[in-house]
Amino acid sequence: MKRILLTGVAMVALPAAALAECPGITVADMQGIASGAFPQQYELSAFQEAAGCEMAFTAHPDIEALNGRIKGNEALPALADRLPAEPLVVVPYDSIGQYGGTLDVLSNATEAGTSDFLSVRHVNLVRYSDDLQTIVPNVAKSWEWNEDFTKLTFKLRAGHKWSDGAPFTSADVKFWHDNLMLDTNIFEKPKDYVTVGGETMTVDTPDETTVVFNLPAPKPGLLAHFATHFAQGFQPKHFLGQFHPDINADADSYAQGLGFENGYDAIKAYWGNSDWTDTPTPMLSKPDLVEGLPKATYPTLESHIYVTDTTEGRHLVANPYFFQVDPTGQQLPYIGEQDEVYINDNEVRILKLVNNEVDYKSQSLQLASAPILLENQEKGGYNIYLRPEITMGAFGFNVTHEDPEKRKVFGDLKFREAMSLAINREELNETGFFGQGTPKQYVGFSPLPEFADPKWESYMAEFDPDGAKARLDEIGMKDTDGDGFRELPNGDKLVLNLNYSTQGIAGQTVELVAQFWADVGIQSTVKEVTPDEYRSAQSANKLDVAMWRKGQPLAIVLGNNELWVPPFENYFGNRSGMLWAEWVDSDGAAGVEPPEPVKQLIADINAFQSADQESPEFAELGARLVQTMTENLYFIGTVNAPAPIYQSKRLQNFTEFKTHSYEYYRTYPYRATQWWLTE
């Protein structure tokens, strides 16, 4: 394998004869070398100084062939010209990896159940280390806050390049912020994470490697946002900017020459019109145009890039310009290809896992599948880890339902209290979760911070069917036709349509809750739908009851207010109060005005995010957020339980996760770029 000495990097001032090849240290065996400033990784110069070595670099032996499959990429320059001046040195968990192989994974469908796979190749400015407490550099080399958390400065890596070889600079961060996130042609309203208390930030770029976020008020949680969120704080200006009228005066004519309606249509085809990083590429959305396009997908900084995109799945190859290396100088990732297959049928997914046709899986795996997976793991050649979830299944009644009679009842707190008291969470835990979970009420935060009273986790969570019936009687819901089920107060029949997706909540949970509600006289029908069907109906205000996993740790709440402002989560989560959200987004010009407790939540979360975290005000605001959310039961909690994580024994350098969580972005803290395959 050809070895290339990287030039132009910072070197320790030692005589040449004293410098040796860099040692293949691992987390398991550091060989006496001191840890760096951050866990399990170093900047190149720091590693060379600690190890007393001069690093030589090697690339995947098939990288030129893999690059040839990336439409629009030119022939590769030398590796020295592809890596940044300061590559990020990633210390593998157990072993220095070997190149090759294809990582096989499953998702539900395009944009459904894909965050598992997205997280494997994901990068952002920073990330959480695997202790889920320490934020460490990633795309950014370093960062610094000013004293009052109103200015966050990132330093990027000199010489960092996009997957097509174009320079990655501070201009790409400013383009993302100014020309995508704040463009009302793309987003009607700025996302919360680029605002502070509803006011937008500004971005300065003093030079190519310096980015300054100027905040209108303190928001220390912004850093944690970049460490956990799927939305990346940069996009390729050199490519997407060609289609943006503020960057290129000829954007529309250029896009039309390629077959798009205009420049914004091209941006939508390549990048999408959401901040989700997995929208269909032109290979899927505009297949007739692909042959004449300069690229089949937009350039990336991630470890892998799409080369096929169909309704059956996607295939990716390694990014030849990826910015990470291992301690011996091998450019990461070790795994040259990734293959994603779409299977929405849960039974078929489980069968494929049992047959060891997959290398890694956690998303959409429910505890109900654990017995068959555990029973077959030894002969199947895979490992199953049961890890605690951050979230739990929660039910949210549609308080802005399009049917005025349902809206009236669902909006009545007595009704929501009744439906919470009707759930036998102990039985649900024993039957649906094998006794492995903890019955809880939904309180917003997970885990519960110290500033909140633990009593809220059991609020209205005791099993009290008589109390539930009394509340339903009180609001005038009685069985007027003698069929055993209660009608609405005006006499209309009520049947709750409980549409759910296995990706979001276990079917057994929904079935049991439906039975508990039937026992107090509330009739329902249960139907499993695809994630896309569920999300579409939820966003269109068509659901009777929202049901999906819900909850976030404090670190994420500090940077993102979505759980506390209608509709109480993003498109991919558990949402309710869609017309309240419309009122908030339109400043009262449309939609339905929310009640005072909801307005209090909005005011409190904005103040909470800017408060000094050591102050009494911070604790008071946090405690009130919990109380307001819980007392009003906008969402009803069930059981917090563990869930399975699947790893084929072919997959090396896999470490046991601390949580089964989307909230910390699944594999991102566990450094999947250093995974490798024995076959």
Side-chain angles (χ1 to χ4, degrees):
M1 191 179 299
K2 187 177 180 182
R3 299 186 68 81
I4 303 169
L5 182 63
L6 187 67
T7 59
V9 298
M11 294 296 298
V12 62
L14 292 174
L19 296 175
E21 287 192 1
C22 290
I25 65 170
T26 63
V27 174
D29 182 9
M30 292 293 289
Q31 301 181 29
I33 294 174
S35 299
F38 296 96
Q40 305 166 356
Q41 65 183 49
Y42 301 80
E43 296 304 318
L44 175 63
S45 57
F47 178 66
Q48 290 180 141
E49 183 174 1
C53 67
E54 183 174 353
M55 187 175 285
F57 296 83
T58 54
H60 193 296
D62 297 329
I63 196 64
E64 291 182 359
L66 296 173
N67 179 67
R69 296 164 65 182
I70 304 172
K71 183 176 174 61
N73 270 24
E74 298 179 354
L76 292 179
L79 182 55
D81 297 321
R82 303 203 305 270
L83 289 170
E86 281 272 12
L88 182 64
V89 180
V90 174
V91 182
Y93 282 114
D94 299 310
S95 56
I96 298 298
Q98 299 174 21
Y99 285 124
T102 298
L103 184 78
D104 291 313
V105 299
L106 297 176
S107 296
N108 295 28
T110 304
E111 298 187 83
T114 60
S115 67
D116 236 8
F117 191 38
L118 278 170
S119 71
V120 170
R121 65 179 188 271
H122 181 70
V123 297
N124 213 325
L125 293 168
V126 292
R127 68 174 181 87
Y128 269 102
S129 184
D130 60 10
D131 63 5
L132 304 187
Q133 298 180 14
T134 308
I135 294 178
V136 302
N138 195 247
V139 167
K141 184 179 176 182
S142 64
W143 69 88
E144 183 179 11
W145 280 105
N146 66 348
E147 288 187 3
D148 66 354
F149 295 97
T150 59
K151 182 176 291 188
L152 176 59
T153 301
F154 287 105
K155 280 290 185 179
L156 307 180
R157 302 173 189 280
H160 196 164
K161 294 178 175 62
W162 290 96
S163 58
D164 61 355
F168 164 63
T169 71
S170 58
D172 296 305
V173 180
K174 188 170 178 62
F175 171 72
W176 162 79
H177 180 268
D178 292 1
N179 302 108
L180 297 177
M181 302 308 297
L182 299 186
D183 189 332
T184 56
N185 294 291
I186 298 173
F187 296 105
E188 292 184 11
K189 178 186 176 184
K191 299 287 184 177
D192 165 64
Y193 52 78
V194 295
T195 67
V196 184
E199 296 184 46
T200 57
M201 305 181 292
T202 62
V203 175
D204 294 332
T205 54
D207 56 53
E208 288 191 344
T209 59
T210 305
V211 179
V212 183
F213 287 90
N214 303 294
L215 286 62
K219 191 176 183 179
L222 178 62
L223 187 68
H225 160 77
F226 286 123
T228 57
H229 206 266
F230 54 78
Q232 296 163 325
F234 40 78
Q235 290 302 326
K237 179 181 179 180
H238 74 281
F239 184 71
L240 293 179
Q242 300 175 100
F243 303 110
H244 199 291
D246 291 346
I247 305 298
N248 177 14
D250 298 321
D252 287 344
S253 59
Y254 174 60
Q256 289 162 359
L258 296 173
F260 298 107
E261 293 181 11
N262 52 40
Y264 284 115
D265 184 44
I267 290 174
K268 179 179 179 180
Y270 276 109
W271 186 63
N273 59 351
S274 82
D275 55 353
W276 184 239
T277 57
D278 215 10
T279 53
T281 68
M283 289 179 277
L284 181 59
S285 64
K286 305 276 188 180
D288 295 341
L289 301 183
V290 170
E291 185 175 349
L293 296 180
K295 298 181 187 298
T297 187
Y298 65 95
T300 185
L301 298 182
E302 296 175 338
S303 63
H304 293 77
I305 185 170
Y306 294 128
V307 292
T308 65
D309 186 5
T310 71
T311 55
E312 285 75 40
R314 292 177 278 215
H315 197 87
L316 301 90
V317 298
N319 173 3
Y321 293 87
F322 195 57
F323 67 98
Q324 298 178 8
V325 298
D326 76 9
T328 69
Q330 293 188 103
Q331 184 187 26
L332 298 175
Y334 295 127
I335 300 174
E337 302 184 54
Q338 298 179 342
D339 195 66
E340 176 184 26
V341 176
Y342 301 144
I343 297 177
N344 197 56
D345 187 309
N346 189 55
E347 292 185 3
V348 176
R349 285 200 301 266
I350 297 302
L351 180 61
K352 285 188 171 290
L353 294 173
V354 168
N355 290 337
N356 200 4
E357 298 176 31
V358 179
D359 293 309
Y360 159 76
K361 184 67 180 168
S362 68
Q363 187 174 19
S364 300
L365 288 187
Q366 310 281 5
L367 190 60
S369 302
I372 187 172
L373 292 172
L374 289 166
E375 179 183 347
N376 289 280
Q377 67 176 336
E378 184 173 349
K379 67 179 180 181
Y382 58 84
N383 295 317
I384 295 295
Y385 308 92
L386 295 180
R387 305 307 300 151
E389 290 209 63
I390 296 290
T391 59
M392 64 175 163
F395 294 82
F397 283 91
N398 187 351
V399 289
T400 61
H401 202 288
E402 59 186 4
D403 181 327
E405 294 303 318
K406 285 185 177 180
R407 183 188 301 181
K408 187 184 301 181
V409 167
F410 296 167
D412 191 318
L413 180 57
K414 292 290 185 182
F415 175 79
R416 301 196 298 274
E417 289 177 349
M419 300 306 270
S420 182
L421 293 171
I423 299 173
N424 188 337
R425 290 169 177 81
E426 294 293 343
E427 181 179 334
L428 177 60
N429 182 36
E430 292 300 323
T431 304
F433 298 97
F434 311 110
Q436 298 299 304
T438 303
K440 286 185 178 181
Q441 187 56 270
Y442 174 76
V443 299
F445 293 100
S446 179
L448 190 71
E450 291 182 357
F451 53 65
D453 192 324
K455 71 178 183 180
W456 295 115
E457 291 191 315
S458 58
Y459 180 78
M460 293 284 170
E462 69 273 18
F463 179 48
D464 182 7
D466 290 337
K469 292 174 183 177
R471 284 168 172 80
L472 295 172
D473 289 343
E474 185 179 343
I475 64 174
M477 294 189 68
K478 302 184 183 299
D479 177 13
T480 58
D481 61 7
D483 67 351
F485 294 106
R486 298 171 186 264
E487 277 68 51
L488 291 166
N490 71 342
D492 289 351
K493 188 170 184 64
L494 172 65
V495 180
L496 298 177
N497 294 309
L498 302 184
N499 293 347
Y500 76 96
S501 165
T502 305
Q503 180 184 331
I505 194 169
Q508 198 167 12
T509 295
V510 182
E511 294 280 359
L512 284 168
V513 168
Q515 183 57 56
F516 297 144
W517 287 345
D519 292 342
V520 297
I522 302 299
Q523 187 176 8
S524 62
T525 61
V526 176
K527 180 183 179 183
E528 182 178 1
V529 297
T530 68
D532 288 340
E533 290 174 311
Y534 174 87
R535 288 165 174 158
S536 177
Q538 181 175 247
S539 296
N541 201 38
K542 299 294 185 183
L543 293 181
D544 286 343
V545 188
M547 55 196 81
W548 202 271
R549 291 181 173 86
K550 200 166 183 67
Q552 285 181 351
L554 173 61
I556 293 178
V557 172
L558 288 172
N560 194 323
N561 72 7
E562 64 183 10
L563 291 194
W564 309 89
V565 176
F568 304 109
E569 204 158 352
N570 59 55
Y571 174 79
F572 301 100
N574 190 337
R575 307 210 285 176
S576 184
M578 298 303 299
L579 298 184
W580 290 350
E582 188 177 344
W583 187 91
V584 172
D585 290 346
S586 67
D587 293 324
V592 173
E593 184 174 1
E596 286 305 316
V598 173
K599 294 178 182 178
Q600 185 71 58
L601 284 173
I602 297 170
D604 284 350
I605 187 59
N606 289 334
F608 180 72
Q609 289 183 329
S610 291
D612 180 348
Q613 295 175 26
E614 302 298 324
S615 68
E617 178 195 14
F618 179 80
E620 290 168 7
L621 286 165
R624 191 161 68 202
L625 282 167
V626 171
Q627 180 174 349
T628 304
M629 177 62 75
T630 311
E631 279 186 330
N632 288 282
L633 293 171
Y634 296 123
F635 297 90
I636 296 170
T638 55
V639 175
N640 177 239
I645 296 175
Y646 175 103
Q647 170 223 353
S648 170
K649 291 182 179 179
R650 294 185 296 268
L651 187 62
Q652 305 299 304
N653 284 339
F654 188 93
T655 191
E656 189 167 347
F657 297 5
K658 284 190 168 51
T659 67
H660 183 292
S661 71
Y662 168 80
E663 292 63 44
Y664 285 101
Y665 212 41
R666 303 201 183 277
T667 67
Y668 190 39
Y670 308 103
R671 307 176 304 136
T673 58
Q674 50 89 59
W675 288 354
W676 63 281
L677 295 164
T678 55
E679 298 176 13

